[in-house]
């Protein structure tokens, strides 16, 4: 059955459903089909400064911080991120605001026309990414900030040549697609590096050889965390210091992880764009991101939402959580509303979280790849576990039962967070 082509007056939902069915697979790495369509759309060589950000974790926080700083300086910034949490429009932001439905629909019409003229099909991610690029071109954005979806070398974002390449860190995730070692995955991420551009490596880990090799081969200046630039949290917990050769800045902590904020600052400083220290500070204070150590007050209870879903992401979460608990000593216990996808490393994630979480409220997610209750229980053997029929029900009970000394952590998957946000929306 052929998928009927939507029109410009159809809804965004109709178009997104269309792109979900055009191509034979949801993920199809490689640029052979994408490049001819991108060329026809005229998006391959933006008249803009382009930051491309790859990495296993921290891409969202880094790109958000970059955009907030550049918006504060007055640049016309196009920000592309994925996945979205609640609305598809979250993926495409103009000057800090989500793009409207009609702009997306108009771009989808042109992408679909171009791919038909090329005689090619596009995956959902490829089509929607090209639409974002087209919107940035139409809106004459003078800075493009692009978050890589999967890997780097073969990701659709990599059809654009960046002026600054950023790699946040390398962890073991998506091993079926990217390889089963840090070096294999680093090779894929390093694919965003181009000749003679600055490259930031923001991983709090040994610098992978594959990234060093690619930078050397490309004559690209490589700046690595803990080698070429450094960050240190100050004792007051409200400020931190960034240091590199010839530069020392005292900056506010903001709402996101310092490691990712420092990576964004390093990228700004090597970009050649004129930006003041006060603007950097202003941008950091304004930068926030749904689902990345997002702290909210709900019915007088403190709730932290974090979408970390692999060991590296959860280590990151725990580092932030320990800092938070250090400065908020009224919280004596952490309780978790938790679920994961079956194909993730649930055992490693729960082993890390068990050091801090003592009370678990779990349910199976309402998505095809959800981990069944048995798999969740096996990973949480020996823990205090409460089972529920849905994440919404688990969260509702937690809110009722928790006292003010208990901190509520919602974690394990983007889908876990989405279920709670849907519940909160229904309650309004």
């Amino acid at each position: 059955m052929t998928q009927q082509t939507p029109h410009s007056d159809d809804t965004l939902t109709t178009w997104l459903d269309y792109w979900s069915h055009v191509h034979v697979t949801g993920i199809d790495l490689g640029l052979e089909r994408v490049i001819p369509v991108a060329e026809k759309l005229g998006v391959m060589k933006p008249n803009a400064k382009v930051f491309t950000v790859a990495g296993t974790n921290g891409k969202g926080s880094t790109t958000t911080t970059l955009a907030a700083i550049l918006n504060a300086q007055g640049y016309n910034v196009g920000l592309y991120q994925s996945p979205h949490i609640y609305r598809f429009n979250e993926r495409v932001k103009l000057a800090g605001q989500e793009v409207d439905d009609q702009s997306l629909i108009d771009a989808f019409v042109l992408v679909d026309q171009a791919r038909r003229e090329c005689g090619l099909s596009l995956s959902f991610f490829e089509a929607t990414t090209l639409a974002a690029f087209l919107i940035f071109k139409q809106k004459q954005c003078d800075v493009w900030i692009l978050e890589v979806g999967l890997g780097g070398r073969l990701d659709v974002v990599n059809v654009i040549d960046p002026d600054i390449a950023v790699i946040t860190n390398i962890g073991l995730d998506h091993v079926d697609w990217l390889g089963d070692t840090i070096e294999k995955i680093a090779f894929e991420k390093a694919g965003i590096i181009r000749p003679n551009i600055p490259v930031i490596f923001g991983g709090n880990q040994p610098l992978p050889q594959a990234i060093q090799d690619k930078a050397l081969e490309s004559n690209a200046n490589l700046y690595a965390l803990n080698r070429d630039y450094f960050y240190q949290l100050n004792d007051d917990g409200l400020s931190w210091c960034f240091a590199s050769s010839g530069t020392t800045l005292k900056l506010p902590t903001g709402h996101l992880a310092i490691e990712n904020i420092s990576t964004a600052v390093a990228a700004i400083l090597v970009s050649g764009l004129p930006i003041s220290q006060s603007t950097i500070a202003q941008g950091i204070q304004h930068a926030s991101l749904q689902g990345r150590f997002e702290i909210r007050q709900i019915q007088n209870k403190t709730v932290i939402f974090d979408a970390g879903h692999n060991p590296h992401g959860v280590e990151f979460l725990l580092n932030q959580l320990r800092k938070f608990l250090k400065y908020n000593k009224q919280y004596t216990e952490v309780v978790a509303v938790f679920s994961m996808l079956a194909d993730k490393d649930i055992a490693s994630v729960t082993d890390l979280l068990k050091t801090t979480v003592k009370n678990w409220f779990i349910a199976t997610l309402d998505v095809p790849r959800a981990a069944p209750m048995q798999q969740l229980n096996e990973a949480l053997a020996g823990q205090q576990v409460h089972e529920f029929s849905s994440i919404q029900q688990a969260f509702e009970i937690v809110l009722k039962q928790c006292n003010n000394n208990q901190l509520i952590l919602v974690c394990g998957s983007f889908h876990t967070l989405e279920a709670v946000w849907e519940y909160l929306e229904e309650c309004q």
Side-chain angles (χ1 to χ4, degrees), residues 34 38 41-46 50-52 78-81 92 94 104 107 111 125-141 144-148 155-161:
V34 176
L41 291 167
V43 298
M44 292 279 284
K45 300 194 180 299
V50 179
F51 294 76
T52 297
L79 170 62
Y80 176 66
Q81 299 173 303
V92 184
L94 300 164
L104 284 166
V111 171
F125 188 73
E126 290 164 347
T128 54
T129 301
L130 290 178
F133 296 167
L134 188 57
I135 290 168
F136 294 161
K137 178 189 173 186
Q138 291 168 338
K139 301 295 184 182
Q140 298 181 325
C141 294
W144 293 19
I145 300 171
L146 309 179
E147 179 183 325
V148 169
D155 187 90
V156 56
V157 166
N158 205 34
V159 302
I160 306 291
D161 291 332

Side-chain angles (χ1 to χ4, degrees), residues 246-374:
T247 304
T248 304
L249 304 174
K250 184 178 180 181
L251 296 165
T253 51
H255 308 286
L256 301 172
I258 298 295
E259 181 178 314
N260 297 327
I261 295 173
S262 70
T263 300
V265 171
I268 291 285
L269 293 176
V270 302
S271 71
L273 295 171
I275 296 178
S276 68
Q277 180 175 344
S278 62
T279 300
I280 292 173
Q282 183 184 339
I284 288 169
Q285 287 174 312
H286 280 100
S288 62
L289 190 61
Q290 273 193 312
R292 275 75 165 195
F293 207 76
E294 180 191 0
I295 304 169
R296 291 174 62 176
Q297 296 298 317
I298 301 170
Q299 295 180 18
N300 297 320
K301 308 289 171 61
T302 302
V303 183
I304 295 177
F305 295 90
D306 194 280
H309 53 269
N310 54 41
H312 193 278
V314 172
E315 284 176 357
F316 215 73
L317 156 63
L318 287 171
N319 284 334
Q320 292 172 277
L321 187 56
R322 289 180 191 117
K323 288 174 189 170
F324 179 84
L325 293 171
K326 178 181 175 183
Y327 293 103
N328 296 274
K329 297 189 186 300
Q330 69 268 33
Y331 300 110
T332 55
E333 185 183 347
V334 178
V335 301
V337 175
F338 177 82
S339 196
M340 289 185 70
L341 298 177
D343 54 2
K344 296 297 180 182
D345 187 355
I346 299 175
S348 295
V349 164
T350 52
D351 283 349
L352 287 166
L353 288 169
K354 285 174 189 175
T355 60
T356 305
V357 177
K358 304 303 178 199
N359 214 333
W360 301 79
F361 292 71
I362 68 171
T364 299
L365 293 166
D366 187 20
V367 296
R369 290 160 53 208
M373 195 67 82
Q374 181 183 349

Side-chain angles (χ1 to χ4, degrees), residues 8 27 49 119 146 172 174 220 229 263 265-266 300 308 325 355 389:
S8 59
I27 299 174
K49 181 78 80 169
L146 309 179
L172 291 173
H174 301 296
Y229 72 96
T263 300
V265 171
N300 297 320
L325 293 171
T355 60
S389 60

Side-chain angles (χ1 to χ4, degrees), residues 18-26 28 33 121-124 126:
Y18 170 73
W19 288 124
S20 298
H21 293 90
V22 166
H23 196 58
V24 66
T25 58
D28 192 355
R33 288 172 301 98
S121 70
L122 295 173
S123 71
F124 178 92
E126 290 164 347

Side-chain angles (χ1 to χ4, degrees), residues 379-399:
L380 292 169
Q383 297 290 294
Q384 193 169 334
V385 176
H386 313 272
E387 295 182 21
F388 297 89
S389 60
S390 69
I391 286 294
Q392 289 92 335
Q393 185 191 28
F395 185 75
E396 181 181 14
I397 297 300
V398 164
L399 273 185

